[in-house]
Amino acid sequence: PISATKQALDTEPQYIDAPLSVAAAFLVLAIKDDDASLATARSVLGSTDDLIKSITVRDISHTFTCNVGIAHRVWHPLTGRPLPKELRPFKEIKGAKHTAVSTPGDLLYHIRAPSMDLVVEFEKILLEAFGDAAVPLDDVAGFRYFDGRDLLEFVDGTANPDGLALPAATIVGEEDPDYAGGSYVVIQKYLHDLAAWRALKVETQEQIIGRTKHGNTELPDAPAPDQKSHKTLCTITDAQGEHDILRDNMPFATPGRGEYGTYFIGYSRYLWVIEKMLEHMFIGDPPPLHDRVLDFSKAMTGVVFFAPARPLLADLGD
Ligand code: HEM
């Protein structure tokens, strides 16, 4: 039993299974390549737990969480370890009409909190700790919209796995024992053309998403070879059955600048599953029938990270 407990501790995941929150932030950093900056970054990553605790202890609800992802480019310089099996850069996907762009990013901080003050306080302490070693590339504050809807006004996150299916879909296991407890993370920042979306009939919007708008019930899959809905294009099955991922999408907006978007974030045990979803969305299944959500949503960023088990992060500080 003691060795079983030790093994569980060695592979303890980050807060992958934390629920959607009222407030969130997606902070993408670049790390400078000189030795001093890398050493600082290692030490900040190593103290992730302490940084989180300094906020959690002040949050009576104890629901503040933060996950850290490390990208391909800095994996070896920061950890000194071989790459997790599937860790590679975000592969640009060029469809006939829409492109999933690949953009820079070395570290991702995915922060979830019951209120924005905790998010800001954490980011402030974190960036002070990095000092000149890190350059923020993007920092998006997400908020909870009515009913857990995205800004296309559909309830977002319904088909997410739960219970024991959640770790089974998101946490690396025996297929890559050195990195068991970790999770692949993909982010994409989408901006919506809300005027064009709102000009559609609700029935058309429902066909595009694959669910009803008001009641959030699933619509039947379109018969092949017709245009598939977003829901159907993102359903990935192989001999083992259906492969789920966990999505913690959040709306974000700056109305004064006309910016309304969805920050997509997906956690998966297998990176290829998310890559396959993106291929279906951008190239089409069958091509060239791309996901019509993309006619109203433009991908501005795209980065792949690996969120290692907590002990691996902690070790970086030594
Ligand atoms: C389902 C919105 C991008 C993967 C859904 C649903 C909505 C939605 C409303 C239906 C409810 C639900 O099950 O959550 C959006 C928006 C996006 C976006 C607004 C960006 C503009 C993506 C991307 C991926 C993805 C980039 C994967 C790479 C999925 C999956 C499902 C889903 C796996 C569940 C399919 C099922 O029913 O099994 N999305 N999504 N989504 N989406 Fe997205």
Side-chain angles (χ1 to χ4, degrees), residues 3-318:
S3 64
T5 309
K6 184 177 177 321
Q7 199 192 0
L9 283 174
D10 285 347
T11 58
E12 187 182 6
Q14 298 188 52
Y15 302 89
I16 313 296
D17 60 355
L20 284 179
S21 50
V22 167
F26 304 90
L27 177 65
V28 176
L29 305 176
I31 299 299
K32 291 193 187 147
D33 287 324
D34 60 282
D35 290 345
S37 297
L38 289 168
T40 302
R42 269 191 293 271
S43 132
V44 177
L45 287 168
S47 63
T48 301
D49 259 358
D50 292 338
L51 287 169
I52 292 175
K53 278 182 192 154
S54 73
I55 300 295
T56 315
V57 70
R58 294 189 267 171
D59 161 23
I60 190 84
S61 74
H62 268 264
T63 53
F64 177 91
T65 63
C66 172
N67 291 330
V68 187
I70 303 175
H72 175 271
R73 197 188 80 85
V74 290
W75 180 267
H76 189 263
L78 285 177
T79 69
R81 296 170 188 240
L83 288 166
K85 258 190 188 158
E86 288 190 274
L87 183 56
R88 47 186 172 253
F90 187 100
K91 189 173 58 172
E92 179 184 279
I93 302 175
K94 233 180 159 59
K97 193 150 172 231
H98 302 291
T99 301
V101 293
S102 174
T103 55
D106 293 336
L107 296 181
L108 169 75
Y109 283 84
H110 174 207
I111 304 158
R112 283 175 277 188
S115 57
M116 205 57 208
D117 55 344
L118 299 173
V119 174
V120 170
E121 183 68 6
F122 181 80
E123 288 190 86
K124 193 179 79 186
I125 295 173
L126 181 74
L127 290 171
E128 277 167 10
F130 274 113
D132 291 337
V135 180
L137 299 180
D138 202 15
D139 187 4
V140 176
F143 63 93
R144 186 177 171 84
Y145 195 48
F146 308 106
D147 271 1
R149 291 174 190 268
D150 53 44
L151 288 169
L152 301 180
E153 300 166 340
F154 279 76
V155 177
D156 200 340
T158 312
N160 272 339
D162 62 2
L164 291 176
L166 178 49
T170 53
I171 307 299
V172 170
E174 68 278 8
E175 69 279 6
D176 194 1
D178 288 347
Y179 296 113
S183 188
Y184 293 92
V185 194
V186 176
I187 59 105
Q188 282 185 303
K189 179 169 78 171
Y190 284 92
L191 285 179
H192 298 308
D193 181 349
L194 277 195
W197 177 253
R198 288 185 136 163
L200 299 177
K201 288 211 220 59
V202 168
E203 290 74 32
T204 310
Q205 296 179 348
E206 292 178 334
Q207 293 300 332
I208 292 174
I209 296 291
R211 285 186 173 266
T212 62
K213 196 168 186 180
H214 180 77
N216 188 30
T217 52
E218 232 178 303
L219 296 175
D221 292 337
D226 291 0
Q227 170 72 54
K228 290 180 182 159
S229 67
H230 175 63
K231 169 205 82 172
T232 309
L233 288 168
C234 289
T235 302
I236 307 298
T237 37
D238 68 3
Q240 292 163 37
E242 195 173 317
H243 288 281
D244 285 335
I245 64 166
L246 175 70
R247 292 162 291 127
D248 292 313
N249 295 358
M250 290 293 272
F252 65 92
T254 312
R257 285 204 292 268
E259 281 177 12
Y260 296 90
T262 297
Y263 205 97
F264 166 82
I265 180 166
Y267 287 94
S268 185
R269 175 172 182 173
Y270 306 104
L271 180 62
W272 70 263
V273 173
I274 299 185
E275 290 175 336
K276 196 87 196 144
M277 291 175 180
L278 290 169
E279 274 169 36
H280 284 178
M281 287 178 67
F282 283 81
I283 294 172
D285 177 39
L289 298 180
H290 66 261
D291 191 330
R292 293 208 49 213
V293 165
L294 299 176
D295 295 339
F296 309 89
S297 317
K298 186 174 163 61
M300 310 303 291
T301 64
V303 197
V304 171
F305 302 92
F306 187 72
R310 288 170 66 174
L312 194 155
L313 264 191
D315 282 352
L316 296 183
D318 299 343

